[in-house]
């Protein structure tokens, strides 16, 4: 509608053509689209489900960059705990809770690694943590 002045409303154009139920206006029907219209709707219905499954699978696997980010995050966690243990050793106030956190961090990392070099380093860290734990237990018994 068009407002023409203070008192009148007039029509600015003729009636609009009715749109189809699918919300599309003007459309050219070609022989390819007319014959395969049923097939297209079936494919589009399953395509949405397959897309979601593919996205979930991609999120689980992750690319090489995502795997590297997770590995760096886990390694950072182990290095943080090792730093706290180093400070505790230097101050003479090492607690068994810190050593236990280190054991858990190493155990979590072991589940996600397939590198023999990294496995060897984790073995050495775990052995040293066990030695320090034994020292703490021995000094606790002596006191």
């Amino acid at each position: 509608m068009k407002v023409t002045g203070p008192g009148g409303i007039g029509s600015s154009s003729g009636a609009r053509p009715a749109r189809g139920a699918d919300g599309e206006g003007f459309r050219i029907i070609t022989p390819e689209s007319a014959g395969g219209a049923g097939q297209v709707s079936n494919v589009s219905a399953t395509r949405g489900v397959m897309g979601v499954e593919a996205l979930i699978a991609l999120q689980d696997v992750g690319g090489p960059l995502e795997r590297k980010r997770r590995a760096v995050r886990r390694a950072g966690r182990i290095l943080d705990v090792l730093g706290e243990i180093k400070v505790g050793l230097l101050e003479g106030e090492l607690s068994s809770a810190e050593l236990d956190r280190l054991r858990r961090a190493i155990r979590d990392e072991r589940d996600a690694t397939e590198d023999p070099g990294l496995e060897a380093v984790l073995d050495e860290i775990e052995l040293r943590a066990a030695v320090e734990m034994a020292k703490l237990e021995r000094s606790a018994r002596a006191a």
Side-chain angles (χ1 to χ4, degrees):
M1 287 196 213
K2 181 177 177 185
V3 177
T4 57
I9 298 177
S11 176
S12 64
S13 63
R16 293 187 176 185
R19 291 185 175 219
D22 58 355
E24 293 183 358
F26 177 76
R27 160 172 88 155
I28 298 176
I29 299 176
T30 61
E32 296 88 24
S33 67
Q39 294 173 352
V40 172
S41 65
N42 290 340
V43 171
S44 66
T46 58
R47 187 181 68 184
V49 173
M50 291 183 338
V52 170
E53 290 173 355
L55 286 175
I56 291 172
L58 283 174
Q59 287 177 345
D60 288 341
V61 172
L65 186 59
E66 180 61 30
R67 284 190 299 253
K68 185 175 181 178
R69 268 192 214 127
R70 282 186 285 195
V72 167
R73 198 173 319 129
R74 288 189 309 262
R77 178 178 159 213
I78 291 174
L79 288 174
D80 288 344
V81 175
L82 283 172
E84 292 172 13
I85 289 173
K86 179 180 75 173
V87 170
L89 283 170
L90 292 173
E91 293 177 350
E93 300 174 0
L94 182 63
S95 71
S96 61
E98 290 174 337
L99 291 171
D100 190 46
R101 277 187 40 214
L102 179 62
R103 283 183 176 175
R104 279 183 281 147
I106 290 172
R107 190 176 335 123
D108 292 346
E109 180 63 29
R110 241 184 240 291
D111 294 340
T113 184
E114 296 172 4
D115 182 14
L118 182 57
E119 286 287 332
V121 170
L122 291 175
D123 288 340
E124 291 176 21
I125 294 171
E126 193 171 30
L127 176 63
R128 183 63 188 183
V131 166
E132 292 300 324
M133 186 68 93
K135 285 181 183 179
L136 281 175
E137 290 173 1
R138 184 175 163 198
S139 66
R141 280 189 226 141

